[in-house]
Amino acid sequence: MPSQLPSLMQSTPEEARKTPPAAAEDTQWSRPECQAWTGMLLLGTCLLYCARVTMPVCTVAMSQDFGWNKKEAGIVLSSFFWGYCLTQVVGGHLGDRIGGEKVILLSASTWGFITTVTPLLAHLGNGHLAFMTFSRILMGLLQGVYFPALASLLSQRVPESERAFTYGTVGAGSQFGTLVTGGIGSVLLDWCGWQSVFYFSGGLTLLWVYYVYRYLLNEKDLDLALDVLTQDLPMVRPSKVPWRQLFRKPSVWAAICSQLSSACSFFILLSWLPTFFKETFPHSKGWVFNVVPWLLAIPASPFSGFLSDRLISQGYRVITVRKFMQVMGLGLSSVFALCLGHTTSFLKAVIFASASIGLQTFNQSGISVNIQDLAPSCAGFLFGVANTAGALAGVIGVYLSGYLIEATGSWTCIFDLVAIISNLGLGTFLVFGKAQRVDLTPDHEDL
């Protein structure tokens, strides 16, 4: 029987025109609702990354089948971010208007389908590189709306005192999804070929979409959302975004710069770590280096959220806690990334990679939540802007990494690049970062 969770949008398209803005505002989730949605969003984030990292896990095998060199593999891997950067702002803006949960469901249904049919696209003709590049761009377009819509949803539905833990818990799905694809995907890769990994991750996503649609959303919710998108009906929430007010604040630019750095660093490691381990330690087991770093990172994400909320509840200033999380997420993680590039021991390499990836989860309780501190009324939009910057940097960073490896024959350069990018973002946030709201006209006391 479908869940009786209160519908987030029960009005018909005609009624939407008459709904006053105040009446249309979402209320915060109750405890049971928050638990149900947190669990499903955790699983959704997991499946998002299952689909996203399928290509990096399969890159070596696909390169052998199609004859790609490092530059060509870098083109395929980086092409995801071309699409990813184009829909960030759109996803956040739509999340602020029609509800983040609806944007997430609609996008997941399409990225799940694309993932499932990717092996078919690869065999349409001889243009393997072109078809795979196109599929990755399309995947980026579809997944680009997810995190801005998520930021919008949580900023409206979760109390500020619980927001870091909820976001950290949901964010743990990124490590869990990478773990699932790294573990099960590596086994499928060895036993059934790289095509099976795409079928696996895409099929699971479509099952998740069906469950959420069947048990957590009302059909009228999606009908109205689609009507808003296709018929240009009035939005159910106020649409004015204080553009000038936001971008005049140094704290906003500090948040954007820090998000850019954290996203770029993470994308470089996510894209190239499987190939690094495969080539540097050719006799190692794929399930070890594709599983262990992400396995250890899973508890780090909710722990960072718990620690953040705990410190704030004990009286520490919000901005002090956010900056501490960034010191861990960008500063200390970059130290371990540097160590990763200067070791010849497989065991040490796994330890350093695990530490770097695990500490990067602290960014979710730092800059990701800080964006919601700054502008909760338009958090989806602002997160979309920041993540667009991160995605653009990801395009350049992932491709540049492939170029540097091909040109120098050394992996050290990409870990040096990660450290430089991380510390530039950290320094900017430590100097200019704040937690004062900037989306309202009256001045408020800094937290």
Side-chain angles (χ1 to χ4, degrees), residues 100-112:
E101 70 283 4
K102 303 172 192 64
V103 176
I104 289 171
L105 189 68
L106 292 172
S107 66
S109 63
T110 48
W111 94 57

Side-chain angles (χ1 to χ4, degrees), residues 8-335:
L8 302 182
M9 192 184 296
Q10 295 288 353
S11 58
T12 64
E14 291 76 14
E15 292 169 339
R17 297 186 177 93
K18 303 176 182 179
T19 304
E25 288 293 326
D26 287 339
T27 58
Q28 292 180 339
W29 282 323
S30 65
R31 180 68 62 179
E33 289 175 322
C34 188
Q35 291 172 347
W37 274 104
T38 299
M40 291 312 298
L41 291 171
L42 169 62
L43 184 56
T45 306
C46 169
L47 293 170
L48 176 98
Y49 270 83
C50 279
R52 183 179 299 184
V53 303
T54 296
M55 183 65 76
V57 168
C58 297
T59 295
V60 174
M62 296 178 71
S63 296
Q64 293 173 351
D65 283 356
F66 301 136
W68 297 340
N69 59 32
K70 290 292 187 304
K71 290 182 181 179
E72 291 171 330
I75 290 173
V76 174
L77 290 172
S78 64
S79 62
F80 170 88
F81 303 104
W82 285 113
Y84 192 69
C85 68
L86 295 177
T87 52
Q88 294 286 325
V89 176
V90 173
H93 196 63
L94 287 176
D96 291 336
R97 304 300 171 268
I98 67 175
E101 70 283 4
K102 303 172 192 64
V103 176
I104 289 171
L105 189 68
L106 292 172
S107 66
S109 63
T110 48
W111 94 57
F113 175 76
I114 291 297
T115 303
T116 305
V117 302
T118 294
L120 302 179
L121 293 175
H123 293 91
L124 284 178
N126 294 324
H128 309 296
L129 183 64
F131 282 121
M132 287 300 93
T133 300
F134 171 76
S135 70
R136 291 298 288 175
I137 292 174
L138 189 57
M139 177 70 72
L141 286 169
L142 298 171
Q143 290 199 350
V145 304
Y146 185 90
F147 282 106
L150 177 65
S152 173
L153 178 63
L154 297 185
S155 70
Q156 296 162 9
R157 306 289 283 176
V158 178
E160 183 182 10
S161 61
E162 302 175 8
R163 200 171 289 159
F165 176 73
T166 303
Y167 198 94
T169 301
V170 172
S174 60
Q175 290 78 41
F176 189 63
T178 307
L179 169 66
V180 169
T181 301
I184 300 178
S186 294
V187 175
L188 289 173
L189 186 64
D190 292 337
W191 289 2
C192 307
W194 60 265
Q195 296 89 342
S196 63
V197 186
F198 287 92
Y199 297 143
F200 170 75
S201 57
L204 286 181
T205 300
L206 294 177
L207 288 176
W208 178 83
V209 167
Y210 172 77
Y211 183 89
V212 174
Y213 174 76
R214 180 73 175 81
Y215 293 103
L216 291 182
L217 283 182
N218 188 288
E219 186 175 349
K220 291 181 180 179
D221 294 347
L222 289 178
D223 288 343
L224 179 55
L226 290 171
D227 284 334
V228 169
L229 294 174
T230 60
Q231 300 180 20
D232 196 28
L233 294 176
M235 299 295 186
V236 297
R237 300 189 183 99
S239 60
K240 185 177 180 180
V241 175
W243 313 86
R244 294 183 179 179
Q245 187 171 323
L246 287 177
F247 295 113
R248 286 176 178 172
K249 303 292 185 179
S251 58
V252 170
W253 287 106
I256 292 173
C257 183
S258 187
Q259 177 66 18
L260 180 155
S261 299
S262 63
C264 184
S265 299
F266 181 74
F267 290 151
I268 292 174
L269 293 178
L270 180 70
S271 298
W272 286 110
L273 274 182
T275 306
F276 162 74
F277 276 103
K278 192 70 174 178
E279 294 193 351
T280 307
F281 308 101
H283 300 295
S284 60
K285 297 294 184 182
W287 67 266
V288 176
F289 58 77
N290 283 328
V291 169
V292 173
W294 309 101
L295 180 63
L296 297 179
I298 289 174
S301 184
F303 171 74
S304 69
F306 169 80
L307 178 62
S308 176
D309 289 341
R310 181 73 173 176
L311 290 173
I312 292 172
S313 68
Q314 291 182 347
Y316 289 92
R317 297 175 71 230
V318 173
I319 189 57
T320 302
V321 175
R322 302 296 187 236
K323 289 182 178 181
F324 170 72
M325 293 296 159
Q326 288 305 110
V327 169
M328 302 293 287
L330 287 177
L332 190 54
S333 69
S334 69
V335 173

